[in-house]
Amino acid sequence: MFNLFKKSKDHIADIETNSNTIALKVEKGKTLLNAALSSGIAWPHKCKVGSCGTCKSQVLLGDIKAQIDFGYVLSQEEIEAGYVLACQSELKSDIKVKIKLIE
Amino acid sequence: MKLFVNARYLIVPVSSLLTIFGIILGGLLAWVGVFLFGVYTIIDTLTKDIHLRAEKNQDGESYGVKEFQYVVMYIMLPVFILLQIVLAWRLFQFTSGVGIEPLQIGVLNYQTGITLTNLIGATLSTALWAGLGIIYGHELSHNKKEGFFVSRLIMALSGSAHFTYAHVYNHHLDLGHEDDPATAPRGRNVYAHTWLSHAGQSKFSYDLEQKKLRKQGKSTLSFKNKWIIGYLYSLPSVFLFVWAGGLYGVAALITVWAISNFLLEALNFMGHYGLIRNPGEPVEHRHSWDNDNVFTSWFFIEIGRQGDHHVRGETYFWELDDVGAPNYGIGYFSLFVLTLIPPLFRRFVKKLLNDWDKNYATDAEVSIANKFKALGIQS
Ligand code: FES
């Protein structure tokens, strides 16, 4: 039964920040925001449950698995432009993502 | 240690099964759910001074096994469905006039048919344990798509599927402020809070859907509207009870829903009563009351560690810890009994709120508290 929960491989997020690009390993089952915070990256966040929109970032390449419907917080245009909520996103592939970090 | 840490959260699953078993056997055993609730209130009161921290191994990792805890939480959905089915079956026996006779099945005493008194016991038992579905509905509302869906179904069994959306998008964002219907301001009692919080959260959920569907250019009156879908999820319970018991079935379902929603809103009431957050400021530990004596922690799967939960909303319940949030010093069962008598509750909470104003609140929050005091509302 526990095979259902078997871990598959981790993915890499190339994070384009205001000043540089950081390569971040995101373990299976971990959100992009949590992976960033545990690596000491100052990713903006507030609620961590997908309701405030503070962790919003733009995925330029690759796929994420949304844990909740982003439509309540992000506009249709933002979703179409690849914006995601990092606190509710796991990686389905390696990605390239753009974020303005807290300075 | 791993086995103990994981097994201690099974009090509600085991008690729910005992409640179901009691209703199936019938007779006085139909009251088992009510009896257990009473016993747990006593245990909770006796253990009010025992507080434990979250146990971790040498690497600082929790002993909680996510796979096991998720399987248990998912299994609770069919358990709560079964609880309603056995009550409906007893209702059916009652309205069809099945004779009341004792039958010995092995060591078990089974009673065919049910008296009105024991039917009331079965209904109250069902209501109390259905109300405890909130602890799973709440935990799953924060986790992954499938967990969120299971949360909606569990809450729909109490006619409250809207809770899942309102909790995440309203309560977690607007906590401690008048925009959050689930936060009880000073001066409100638990009975008024039940209505106001329930209606407020349902309205929030409706508005949320309306806004989202408008953004997408879709009609509010559609099957894409999760507020509507949520109430549709509750229809099987309505059909089941009406079919099984006619008017008695309606009365039983109203009782089950009223009591289970009362328990849900009592938890909201206790979680943040009288605490204030200046709008725009982040949610901090001080904006929630902790209830974390040992029995409350294990029974309510750590839902009483509200301070930590509201700051780390993504954290699994078994990882939550004491973070120095304001603490009632007693468990949920004992506090719940106090809330039932509003003057007693307000007297109890007055000292705690004064302490909060003095030692936790920011200047802006104190000035909001002073506005309540100017109106004569001290607690
Ligand atoms: S931190 Fe609030 S939506 Fe992600």
Side-chain angles (χ1 to χ4, degrees):
Chain A
M1 172 177 65
F2 289 163
N3 279 351
L4 272 176
F5 299 93
K6 223 170 166 177
K7 290 198 169 190
S8 69
K9 85 185 201 10
D10 308 330
H11 292 292
I12 301 293
D14 277 324
I15 306 169
E16 243 179 53
T17 73
N18 352 358
S19 51
N20 57 356
T21 301
I22 307 164
L24 171 76
K25 186 167 113 180
V26 182
E27 288 164 32
K28 161 86 180 157
K30 214 166 184 182
T31 63
L32 178 57
L33 176 69
N34 272 344
L37 294 178
S38 3
S39 304
I41 298 170
W43 197 293
H45 66 282
K46 207 158 102 186
C47 71
K48 288 172 98 182
V49 293
S51 56
C52 70
T54 315
C55 64
K56 180 172 81 174
S57 47
Q58 190 181 19
V59 173
L60 305 170
L61 270 178
D63 286 325
I64 60 107
K65 180 184 169 199
Q67 290 182 349
I68 59 167
D69 185 349
F70 295 153
Y72 294 103
V73 174
L74 303 178
S75 68
Q76 197 58 26
E77 297 74 49
E78 285 175 321
I79 292 170
E80 275 158 20
Y83 280 93
V84 300
L85 298 173
C87 70
Q88 300 299 314
S89 301
E90 289 178 36
L91 303 202
K92 277 207 314 209
S93 68
D94 292 350
I95 64 164
K96 191 172 192 181
V97 61
K98 203 168 143 187
I99 178 79
K100 198 167 180 305
L101 300 180
I102 306 167
E103 299 196 339
Chain B
M1 182 54 106
K2 203 174 215 170
L3 179 69
F4 168 68
V5 167
N6 287 282
R8 68 193 189 187
Y9 297 120
L10 293 176
I11 306 172
V12 171
V14 170
S15 306
S16 304
L17 290 172
L18 287 174
T19 301
I20 290 170
F21 203 48
I23 297 171
I24 291 174
L25 289 177
L28 267 185
L29 289 175
W31 289 85
V32 157
V34 179
F35 173 75
L36 287 174
F37 206 83
V39 169
Y40 293 150
T41 305
I42 295 168
I43 297 176
D44 190 51
T45 308
L46 293 177
T47 57
K48 74 179 176 53
D49 293 326
I50 308 173
H51 296 259
L52 301 178
R53 300 294 305 269
E55 282 93 353
K56 292 183 184 130
N57 65 20
Q58 287 154 336
D59 300 328
E61 286 161 359
S62 162
Y63 288 109
V65 178
K66 181 181 163 193
E67 292 78 6
F68 174 72
Q69 296 299 346
Y70 264 75
V71 167
V72 171
M73 288 194 283
Y74 287 171
I75 286 177
M76 287 312 286
L77 172 63
V79 168
F80 289 126
I81 292 173
L82 188 60
L83 184 60
Q84 294 202 345
I85 289 175
V86 294
L87 176 61
W89 166 67
R90 282 298 186 183
L91 270 161
F92 181 76
Q93 288 192 329
F94 179 78
T95 50
S96 334
V98 173
I100 296 162
E101 277 172 48
L103 268 184
Q104 194 71 27
I105 307 174
V107 288
L108 301 172
N109 284 314
Y110 166 71
Q111 200 171 79
T112 61
I114 191 162
T115 62
L116 180 61
T117 313
N118 290 335
L119 185 62
I120 291 172
T123 306
L124 294 177
S125 292
T126 302
L128 290 171
W129 293 90
L132 290 162
I134 163 68
I135 63 177
Y136 303 102
H138 169 260
E139 179 68 18
L140 292 171
S141 74
H142 289 296
N143 291 293
K144 317 270 188 297
K145 274 197 156 158
E146 56 278 9
F148 194 85
F149 180 59
V150 176
S151 162
R152 296 256 294 157
L153 295 180
I154 289 178
M155 298 313 295
L157 289 169
S158 295
S160 298
H162 64 268
F163 164 87
T164 308
Y165 280 97
H167 180 78
V168 174
Y169 293 101
N170 190 187
H171 182 53
H172 268 264
L173 198 59
D174 298 319
L175 171 69
H177 182 257
E178 60 189 354
D179 287 346
D180 174 30
T183 299
R186 298 178 189 195
R188 186 187 283 176
N189 65 54
V190 71
Y191 305 104
H193 184 70
T194 299
W195 292 106
L196 292 167
S197 178
H198 182 95
Q201 289 179 71
S202 185
K203 180 172 184 320
F204 174 88
S205 177
Y206 177 82
D207 292 345
L208 185 74
E209 289 303 315
Q210 192 180 44
K211 235 185 287 163
K212 186 191 86 168
L213 292 168
R214 270 195 195 146
K215 266 198 264 176
Q216 296 174 349
K218 293 180 183 136
S219 159
T220 309
L221 275 179
S222 86
F223 286 123
K224 292 256 181 271
N225 184 326
K226 301 280 174 44
W227 182 85
I228 294 176
I229 297 285
Y231 285 106
L232 293 182
Y233 288 158
S234 297
L235 281 183
S237 292
V238 177
F239 292 144
L240 176 71
F241 278 78
V242 170
W243 171 78
L247 278 181
Y248 281 102
V250 173
L253 188 62
I254 289 175
T255 308
V256 169
W257 282 8
I259 293 179
S260 57
N261 278 287
F262 183 61
L263 292 184
L264 156 64
E265 295 309 341
L267 280 174
N268 275 328
F269 180 84
M270 296 185 284
H272 308 280
Y273 180 83
L275 299 182
I276 294 160
R277 186 172 58 90
N278 196 30
E281 308 262 324
V283 172
E284 307 274 6
H285 296 143
R286 69 175 181 281
H287 297 120
S288 307
W289 293 106
D290 268 1
N291 281 73
D292 65 348
N293 69 309
V294 65
F295 190 74
T296 282
S297 283
W298 297 354
F299 185 95
F300 289 94
I301 59 168
E302 309 289 358
I303 205 174
R305 295 215 196 266
Q306 286 279 299
D308 197 6
H309 169 65
H310 273 281
V311 172
R312 300 191 298 149
E314 82 292 3
T315 307
Y316 299 118
F317 70 82
W318 54 89
E319 293 172 351
L320 295 173
D321 207 351
D322 178 0
V323 287
N327 199 311
Y328 282 116
I330 59 175
Y332 273 142
F333 278 100
S334 337
L335 186 64
F336 174 64
V337 173
L338 283 182
T339 64
L340 296 177
I341 311 157
L344 212 61
F345 172 74
R346 285 178 70 174
R347 218 170 46 213
F348 168 79
V349 85
K350 189 173 174 189
K351 204 169 137 257
L352 293 166
L353 282 175
N354 283 339
D355 179 57
W356 189 84
D357 292 352
K358 217 166 116 199
N359 299 314
Y360 290 90
T362 60
D363 290 347
E365 288 163 351
V366 168
S367 81
I368 298 173
N370 286 339
K371 285 183 190 157
F372 280 89
K373 286 179 182 156
L375 292 170
I377 301 168
Q378 303 296 326
S379 60

